[in-house]
Structure formats: C-alpha cells, structure tokens
C-alpha cells in the first residue's frame, strides 16, 4: 500500500515499553531523511523561515504510526 | 523552552512551498535519530512488533511542527 | 453543537477496554459513510489519486473522538 | 505494509478538490466498519460511555490519510 | 452532543482568513480555562513536571476544531 | 526556541495523573488568549462561521503538548 503520508521512514525498533492499553515504541533511523511539514503561512512569516535555515522538527509521539513490511 | 514532545530533530530547511494560508516545508535531517511513537498495545500485538525488528515510521505532514533556535 | 469536523459518524459502542488513564473504544458503523480527508496536493499527485479510484482511509486511533447525543 | 493504525477502511474516491498546497479528498465507504478510538478514561466516565451505547465518532479531516493498494 | 474531547472552550471569532480549501480561524477566549493534555510519562519525568509548576501549553493549529452552539 | 505552533499559552500545572506509559496533565490558564485553528473552507461555510460569532474551540487532549521555560 502506498500512503498519502509524506513521512515514511525506515528504521529498527530499539525499545518497546508496554502499558495496559497503549505502548511506547522507539525506532532508530540511521540514514538521512527529509521530513515534510504542513504549517500555516503565518508561522512561516512569524519565524522568518527561509530555505537554507537551520530548523528543528517537532513531532508529538502520539502522532507517529509504525508500519512493518 | 523544553517540550514534552519526544521528537525534536535538528535539520536544515530544504524547500518551502507557500500556499495561501498554509505552506509545505521540507527539512533535511542528516544525523541518525530515534523517533518515539505511542500506539495501542493491540497494534503492537497485531504487528507482532519486537525490539530489533525492521520497522517503518509513518507521520502525516500536518502533524509536524517547525521550530527555530 | 455543530462542529467543523467533517467526519461525524453514528454507530454503536462495541467494546471498551479501560487502561489506567486512557481507554480504547470500538464503535461499529453499519451505514455507508463519506470520509473527508485533507492531504497535501503533492501526495495526490504522488499517488496519482483520481475520482473513482479505489482507496484506503487510514486513521490513527488517537485521532478519533467519541460523542454522545 | 501493515500499519499500527487501527482504522484502515476501504472505499472509493468520490471527490477531490485541489487547493494550492493541500487538497480535500472524499472517500465513500459502503461496508460496515468498526472504528477504534483512544480517549482518556476520564472522558469515558464523564460521558458514562458503556458497551451497547449509541455513539458518534468525530474525526477532523486533517487527521485522515489516504492509501492506494 | 457531548464530546470525549476534554478541551471545549467558549469564545468569539476574531478573524477568519479563507484559503482555497482550508481557512485560518482565530477565536478569542476571555475567561480562565483548564486545558487537559495527554503526554508520555517519560516526558513528565524528563521535564520534571510537577503540580504547581509554571508551564506552557502548545497546540498546532491544525489540531483545533471549531464548534457553534 | 520559537515554534510554528500558533497556540503557545502560559499557565500553571493544576493536576498530574500518571498512568503506566502516558499521563494526564491539567494546566490552568488565567489570562485571555486567542486560539488559532486551521479547518476546511467547507466547514466555515457549513457552520456559516463569521467574525464576531460566538464559537467553541474543541481540542482532543492527545493533541496538547506541554512545555517548560
């Protein structure tokens, strides 16, 4: 299956911590990746974000899915 | 500011495509990272996910924030 | 209350599994529904998605709210 | 690829409306489905949600991904 | 309709900026509110977050729905 | 660090309830705030949402991050 999700990144499961109904999974990514973000145009201007800038990608863990091929 | 978000990854803005109220930003990450995910315990069992497994991280672009230091 | 959320679907609670602070709820939907998605235009082109195509809707459980009338 | 996402639902693309960087996609689902949700235990108690209850599933369009097999 | 969402906050629409398929809406909230968050236990410990601490709530605009009564 | 997230709101931690891998955090906000939302243009029209309208902001707890300065 091909997905609309722009961020599909291969890695290796490093750690699984199981809770009662949820679990935390940590995946090690070794290779360089490009991460795609959709943000408001207002925030681009507010951060004065330009191509070539150093930037930080921030993702809440509950937004991250895991797949297995 | 320190954040609860488990995924805070440094990179460089590669491309910005501005729409009218939203924009797409692509950030190149060069260094290895560990990505943390919270999923249901049921999905761990359904995928038979174990430490050491090859896995794929899937993140929808609308879930990705950008920061600037 | 009317909501901006485009996906408001009636069903019946089939199963509730309670954890300590979160819970998993399964809702059975019997009637046909139309599900609305907002994705990047880039992904439309990348998937070559066209009206009439068979497609799969993918939603992470943590993104699903429950209401009661 | 198998996914941790609990909600993977087959349908047919009914309508695509393209914006400049994002697009709205509507997918018609004809068959009954079970939708899985993760909510706080507090909200279960606040709604007095029980198995067998009529309930409404609410999903913001920006949380819905599309796949193609 | 009552919702599982823990954060339901009354205000007044201050500004609407329409794009082609999405729009940005700003809502002014005048009264004190309590905002509920679900984060990993690991992040609680990592931030050394305790009751009484000054804290900052961070919410991506794409995660905010609007309702009308 | 400055963030693209439009909603960055200062408050005080009122309550923390720890589960095994996740936790619920409640933050009291005392001062008026403006909350920014990105929704579909279709929903603006469907709700007939206009500047000056009373409105309700709805946010699922799993979408709320916490920061500490």
């Amino acid at each position: 299956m091909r997905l609309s999700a722009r961020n599909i990144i291969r890695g290796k499961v490093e750690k699984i911590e199981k809770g009662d109904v949820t679990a935390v999974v940590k995946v090690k990514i070794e290779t360089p990746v490009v991460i795609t973000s959709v943000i408001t145009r207002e925030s681009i201007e507010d951060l004065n974000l330009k191509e070539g800038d150093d930037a930080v990608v921030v993702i809440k863990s509950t937004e991250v899915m895991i797949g297995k091929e």
Side-chain angles (χ1 to χ4, degrees), chain A:
Chain A
M1 184 163 61
R2 290 176 302 136
L3 288 168
S4 63
R6 294 298 81 195
N7 302 298
I8 297 181
I9 310 169
R10 274 162 191 75
K12 199 175 276 288
V13 179
E14 201 175 77
K15 197 179 164 192
I16 297 176
E17 191 185 354
K18 290 183 188 172
D20 40 23
V21 298
T22 57
V24 174
V25 178
K26 290 183 183 283
V27 178
K28 183 72 177 285
I29 314 294
E30 294 283 4
T31 51
V33 291
V34 173
I35 293 186
T36 300
S37 162
V38 173
I39 59 180
T40 57
R41 187 164 168 160
E42 175 189 318
S43 61
I44 299 271
E45 282 146 24
D46 192 42
L47 293 178
N48 189 25
L49 201 67
K50 297 178 307 295
E51 295 176 2
D53 280 359
D54 289 323
V56 180
V57 163
V58 178
I59 307 160
K60 194 174 188 303
S61 307
T62 45
E63 308 299 346
V64 179
M65 280 169 293
I66 303 293
K68 223 173 150 178
E69 285 173 315

